[in-house]
Amino acid sequence: MPVPDVSERLSGAINEVTIGATEEQGGSRTRTVTIGGETSFPMLSFEGRYPHPPAFALQITAADVDDWHAEAKKHVADVAGDLEKWAGKCEEWGADLICLDLAAAHPDSGGRSPEQCADDVKRVLGASGLPLVVWGTDTDEVDNNILPKCTQAAAGENCLFGTAKELNYRTLAASCLADSHKIIAEAPSDINLSKQLHILLKDVGVNLQDIIMHPTTGALGFGMVYIYTTIERGRIAGLSGDTLMQQPVVVNIGKEIGRVKEAVSPEEESPQWGKVQVRAPLWEAATAVGYVEAGAELLVLRNPEALQQAKTALEALWPKPPESA
Amino acid sequence: MAVTGLDIYKLLPQTNCADCGVPTCLAFAMKVAAKQAALDDCPHVSEESKEALGTASQPPQKLVTIGSGDSALKIGNETVMFRHEEKFHHPCGIAVLVNDTDDLDAKAAAIKNLFLERMGQNIGVDVVAVRCGSGDGQKLKDAAMKMQAALNLPMVLIAESADKLQAAAEGLAEARPLLWERNGPSDALVELGARTGLPIVVEGDLDKCDGDVQKARQAGIEEMVLCPGEVTPRGALQFLTMSRRAALKRTYRPLGYPVLAYAWSQDPVQLSLEACHYVLKYGSIVVLDEDRPEYVLPVLVARQSVYVDPQVPVQVEAKVHEINEPHDKSPLLVTTNFSLTYYCVLGEVEASRVPTRILTVDTEGTSVLTAWAADKFGPEQIKEAIEKSGVFDQLAEGYQKPVIPGLVAVISGELSEELGRKVIVGPREAGGIRRFFNSEWPTLVGS
Ligand code: B12
Ligand code: SF4
């Protein structure tokens, strides 16, 4: 009896989404990044398409990095406080995109004004040719104040802006539409909430093909597995043909790592766990690889070492497109 | 045709003796029908019944036992490709490689160091893989004996050829090691496995495994573990996915065995990531040539995470937990009954050595913010839990001030009103508790 052929042909495909616009496309990026387009479960290219490798963004911020854990902070110590320098570094470190985190606009973190935030966006775009992700503050009023100015400042650059939530999507949706950006739809760990949000966005005119979804993020051993399963379930639905679940997935990992004791507790306190300079980046990379395994295709990290590690690991997994094709 | 629970029930003794670990024959029959138990688990079932049901009653992926006694590892018997479809049943073994040429005492000590506890569970390395690096079967046996005495863990014995496994297999047969002849099994290994009754590894691509499993089965070997051999992570993923699908979706018996995945990467970081990946995607034993905790820890945590039953909340009892013998002037921390949350807080409290009470509110096993967002950790629920516990009666005036997690600072006003007492907002992360006990807390209580 021959081994049965158990390859699976799925009826759906994940949307292919491009972030960034080059000069010909009306922007000023030196390259663009495309994610999605799969017709198979993660990395199973022997039975379907997995056309683009997962993309990595490094996070930068105008906010204080005092609360970053030491192992991430040591890499950015020289550039924190100087967004332009920092953005340039990200390119050197091998990031595919830059993720500007607007935490500094929050009243608790300095309350940067909308104009200052817009200027931050402009300066980052000027300092690096990488495509840009802009991440809001998680506080509705603040986001509604700053994000429209930021989308405007980046008009033509085809950035990815987030996050739109069930109770706060209109302002961001309108400004992404006006300035032609992609949008992150955030629905905590629940595919039905996610679908509902996509319908709401569609109703105000957002193209389903312009959405990246964020199911929220927990680190390995710190909530990751719940989100991992949420992503897997969504991916099964999407690949089975549900157009409301065919959006690529982003997870924002870097900022979760500092919460995990196993990852960041210093050796003096936890000698049983070994070297912290190994643990911290490895934890971030392991979390990233785990999420890719579930279906995520855009990963936001903080630690450039983790980025290198995760990329190398995924190269051993990511199948080059078949030669004959 | 699928066999129903009733078909199976008719073939059972129907005495409801519960020796199978299930209260009734009918319940047991249902489990067999759902492929969650094997007919053999009933010690009283007749030979005729067994034959009548034949292989139809066997679970699609064989349960394989490695090792013996309390530390035995049971792997396989998985039923789904994705954990939400049911759950992953048998946590994979995580094995550290030892060469018989290594400093064995040092290796044993390093592996002992990897018995870790997390969230109230032992998550440590639970298998030792001993390899015949010397090329001398006697040496392998000595090394395996030594590891067995030092660690008492299930073992995988690895050698280039069956003859080098023989001495160790025979000497340690009672400890039920898994025999891995590289690129095997040769006829000699099949013979050794059949004679000793030990489980063996079948290595190669799917076609080779298919043929070799059938050959070994004919020789009388029942327990086997497949292995894709020295392939890239990409190749291993394909093997792991396809063999599991063939077993679970097509009940293809020759591939219905657990799989051993070896992390071949040279660089320790890459090795660790490769191993994490095998833990998530279908490895049943993951072997690492690495024993430093910083590289092994993420692999252990990945296993602990993915084998959690997604249908059952991971929770601790909702009550007042007394740590370090608290007295009437000890702090009262309020948190949720999600295990992860509770153990994070507990760890910090224990490390602080400050006598403390921790009140775990019943949030159905959800984290602080998840519970708050789902209305399970608001002022009302906390107030009710405090009152029900009677914890204030154990506290002196001025100390009846619950400390709430910093993440839910917004509820402090309302909670304080409900309780008619001051509420203290603690740090946002458990990691801040020690500093908080030393600096802020003393200034906030006592009056
Ligand atoms: C995993 C997860 C889930 C899992 C739940 C797992 C579980 N058992 O709790 C699932 C998928 C089920 C889930 C569901 C939901 N979730 Co959820 N989830 C998460 C996630 C990713 C991680 C949570 C986690 O495990 N944290 C780890 C634990 C250990 O943290 P913790 O409990 O806060 O404890 C720490 C501290 O608070 C502190 N601490 C704890 N106790 C105490 C006590 C004292 C005295 C002190 C000083 C400190 C302290 O110590 C701990 C370690 O530092 C977070 C996002 C994130 N990254 O945090 C969202 C998150 C918590 N979820 C959220 C939401 C909204 C939900 C839902 C309500 C969504 C929905 N409508 O369906 C549902 C609710 C489901 C329900 N009905 O119960 C939101 C909450 C938003 C908010 N700010 O209120 C979050 C923040 C995501 C987001 N950004 O939107 N979720
Ligand atoms: S052990 Fe056999 S006879 Fe006893 S309850 Fe279970 S199935 Fe019935």
Side-chain angles (χ1 to χ4, degrees), chain A residues 58-104:
Chain A
L58 280 173
Q59 191 190 32
I60 69 174
T61 177
D64 211 323
V65 294
D66 274 359
D67 63 340
W68 285 36
H69 65 85
E71 290 302 315
K73 201 158 49 180
K74 76 178 184 201
H75 294 283
V76 303
D78 290 349
V79 288
D82 185 338
L83 284 177
E84 283 156 292
K85 253 199 188 157
W86 195 345
K89 268 281 182 198
C90 291
E91 219 165 328
E92 263 173 58
W93 283 325
D96 304 305
L97 310 93
I98 291 170
C99 176
L100 174 63
D101 184 299
L102 295 176

Side-chain angles (χ1 to χ4, degrees), chain B residues 13-14 24 36 58 147 151 195 257 272 302 330 340 347 359 375:
Chain B
Q14 304 181 6
T24 65
Q36 290 166 8
Q58 295 292 325
M147 292 322 253
L151 299 165
R195 181 156 51 80
Y257 295 89
S272 176
S330 298
L340 183 58
L359 171 67
D375 277 333

Side-chain angles (χ1 to χ4, degrees), chain B residues 135-441:
Chain B
D136 176 348
Q138 197 56 43
K139 266 219 153 121
L140 175 66
K141 178 184 166 188
D142 294 345
M145 292 281 215
K146 195 156 183 181
M147 292 322 253
Q148 165 74 10
L151 299 165
N152 188 28
L153 289 179
M155 280 190 282
V156 185
L157 303 177
I158 311 170
E160 298 301 316
S161 57
D163 57 313
K164 300 193 169 109
L165 287 168
Q166 185 171 339
E170 284 166 355
L172 280 142
E174 271 185 26
R176 278 189 68 71
L178 170 66
L179 307 180
W180 181 9
E181 176 192 29
R182 288 304 318 282
N183 300 307
S186 62
D187 292 344
L189 187 80
V190 171
E191 190 272 323
L192 179 64
R195 181 156 51 80
T196 53
L198 297 180
I200 65 165
V201 170
V202 174
E203 179 183 336
D205 61 21
L206 291 174
D207 285 322
K208 176 172 179 296
C209 286
D210 179 37
D212 284 358
V213 162
Q214 307 203 37
K215 173 177 86 173
R217 268 213 310 223
Q218 269 153 23
I221 297 186
E222 289 192 3
E223 300 199 17
M224 284 175 266
V225 175
L226 311 180
C227 171
E230 190 165 353
V231 293
T232 61
R234 190 181 306 160
L237 176 64
Q238 181 163 1
F239 182 100
L240 285 154
T241 306
M242 298 310 247
S243 60
R244 182 141 159 162
R245 270 192 204 153
L248 303 190
K249 300 197 161 180
R250 300 284 183 86
T251 326
Y252 187 68
R253 306 265 169 210
L255 297 178
Y257 295 89
V259 178
L260 180 150
Y262 191 105
W264 294 100
S265 297
Q266 294 296 312
D267 169 57
V269 164
Q270 291 305 314
L271 181 144
S272 176
L273 293 173
E274 188 185 343
C276 283
H277 155 79
Y278 296 145
V279 165
L280 297 176
K281 286 293 168 188
Y282 315 139
S284 308
I285 301 181
V286 180
V287 185
L288 300 80
D289 184 2
E290 179 58 62
D291 60 17
R292 284 168 290 179
E294 54 270 41
Y295 298 105
V296 180
L297 189 59
V299 186
L300 298 173
V301 172
R303 171 180 61 180
Q304 183 183 36
S305 305
V306 80
Y307 282 91
V308 161
D309 183 342
Q311 263 68 256
V312 180
V314 197
Q315 57 188 43
V316 296
E317 198 184 337
K319 64 165 193 181
V320 176
H321 304 256
E322 303 201 332
I323 319 300
N324 305 332
E325 297 174 23
H327 45 80
D328 66 347
K329 295 193 170 72
S330 298
L332 168 63
L333 303 186
V334 179
T335 188
T336 78
N337 73 331
F338 181 33
S339 291
L340 183 58
T341 303
Y342 171 69
Y343 282 107
C344 283
V345 175
L346 177 68
E348 297 302 326
V349 169
E350 281 177 346
S352 76
R353 296 171 196 273
V354 175
T356 302
R357 288 183 183 81
I358 306 177
L359 171 67
T360 42
V361 177
D362 183 0
T363 59
E364 293 161 28
T366 53
S367 79
V368 168
L369 280 182
T370 306
W372 177 74
D375 277 333
K376 291 173 194 156
F377 194 61
E380 267 168 54
Q381 293 88 350
I382 297 177
K383 177 186 178 218
E384 202 188 305
I386 289 177
E387 284 176 354
K388 215 176 101 197
S389 72
V391 65
F392 279 170
D393 299 342
Q394 295 162 6
L395 291 167
E397 205 43 53
Y399 288 82
Q400 298 165 337
K401 295 175 183 167
V403 182
I404 59 169
L407 288 180
V408 289
V410 289
I411 66 170
S412 65
E414 204 182 325
L415 177 61
S416 165
E417 245 166 62
E418 295 253 356
L419 289 170
R421 286 211 168 62
K422 235 185 113 187
V423 167
I424 300 174
V425 176
R428 295 166 68 91
E429 299 291 342
I433 289 176
R434 270 182 277 177
R435 206 211 59 244
F436 168 82
F437 276 167
N438 289 328
S439 57
E440 288 154 65
W441 190 77

